[in-house]
Amino acid sequence: MHHCVHASRYDAATWRAELIPTEQALLAAAGRAGAVVVFPESLYAYGRVAGPMTEDLPRSASSGKPGIRTELLRARAASATPTVSVAASDFFGPRVLTSHAGERLASAILSGRTLRVVGSLDQPHSFTYVPDLAAAMIRAASDPALHGSFLHAPTGPALTQREMATAFAEAAGVPLPRLGSIPAGALRAVGLVHRDTRELAEMSFQFTAPFVLDSRHSEQRLGLEPTPFDTAIRETVAWWRAREDAAVSA
């Protein structure tokens, strides 16, 4: 069983009210059915890290949205129902909309508008190609030896946000638009009066310093490798072009 739902808002209070009871009910039902539950997971529970994130690092963040992810992971570990959590970094790929490398990036580059990213344009940041996460979840569900594990989805070498934008523009055959950044301090200031911006500011540390996912150990356990980046970015751009064409002809 793959549990791929999320909360209705991006804030800790909503996550606590919705995700914790939902997962408890799901684990109970799956246990009665004798099923394993595979969860897509974020890297939030690692909190602030110095160096690449590996599976042996503590996942013990204790406040805000990261703290909720820690609680969920502990509840899964304590459950009698077998689970696997497959953690990924920020998504990109076909059908990826609400992501830092999703609709905001694609629409700006394809239309030639200025792209403003959260944090730094030039800090290394891992991006996970969504089909690679899906492949890892499917493999984990089918292999009892992986049940009870916390795995990292196969993820290629970290890129800067500038490099991601440049690769997208090159694959689309369009000029790279102007690039800018939104400093964490600006997010915090706006967040004083705007709830959604405040929630985004909480996680801005992921974009102001290196945020690198090391998936090599999990790749060995899964028998999988990340899709080559050139292929992944080409398939991503092809999907966005098809989406644009469908909107024009509708």
Side-chain angles (χ1 to χ4, degrees):
M1 179 183 297
H2 300 276
H3 182 64
C4 301
V5 302
H6 214 298
S8 58
R9 286 191 68 104
Y10 185 66
D11 66 72
T14 304
W15 286 17
R16 179 174 297 282
E18 296 179 3
L19 297 182
I20 291 177
T22 297
E23 286 204 10
Q24 287 299 308
L26 175 73
L27 290 170
R32 291 191 294 270
V36 61
V37 185
V38 182
F39 296 89
E41 186 52 60
S42 71
L43 303 174
Y44 284 26
Y46 285 119
R48 297 175 184 265
V49 297
M53 286 166 280
T54 55
E55 299 88 339
D56 59 346
L57 289 179
R59 293 177 285 274
S60 55
S62 58
S63 63
K65 294 186 292 293
I68 300 298
R69 302 314 307 183
T70 300
E71 289 186 43
L72 291 169
L73 289 171
R74 287 174 177 165
R76 293 171 200 168
S79 173
T81 301
T83 69
V84 186
S85 297
V86 185
S89 194
D90 289 278
F91 296 154
F92 77 104
R95 299 175 181 82
V96 173
L97 299 175
T98 54
S99 167
H100 290 279
E103 187 171 26
R104 186 161 55 87
L105 178 146
S107 62
I109 289 178
L110 293 177
S111 66
R113 293 184 289 104
T114 298
L115 170 63
R116 298 192 184 281
V117 304
V118 171
S120 171
L121 278 162
D122 297 307
Q123 290 288 350
H125 189 94
S126 291
F127 293 92
T128 301
Y129 187 51
V130 162
D132 291 336
L133 170 61
M137 292 177 66
I138 292 168
R139 179 67 57 83
S142 66
D143 185 352
L146 297 174
H147 296 175
S149 298
F150 183 95
L151 302 168
H152 287 173
T155 299
L159 301 170
T160 67
Q161 294 189 89
R162 189 188 303 275
E163 289 171 333
M164 175 61 83
T166 300
F168 196 102
E170 290 176 350
V174 299
L176 182 68
R178 290 181 59 190
L179 304 178
S181 62
I182 307 171
L187 290 174
R188 288 192 291 270
V190 175
L192 294 174
V193 296
H194 188 263
R195 176 182 177 180
D196 290 346
T197 303
R198 181 167 62 251
E199 296 298 329
L200 184 61
E202 179 191 25
M203 305 309 301
S204 61
F205 68 86
Q206 297 178 341
F207 291 94
T208 56
F211 191 74
V212 179
L213 174 64
D214 184 337
S215 60
R216 290 173 296 177
H217 179 68
S218 289
E219 288 170 28
Q220 292 177 354
R221 296 189 66 192
L222 290 160
L224 298 171
E225 296 181 350
T227 300
F229 181 72
D230 288 348
T231 300
I233 202 71
R234 185 171 62 250
E235 292 177 350
T236 301
V237 168
W239 183 83
W240 279 103
R241 286 296 196 195
R243 187 175 187 264
E244 275 196 336
D245 292 344
V248 169
S249 61

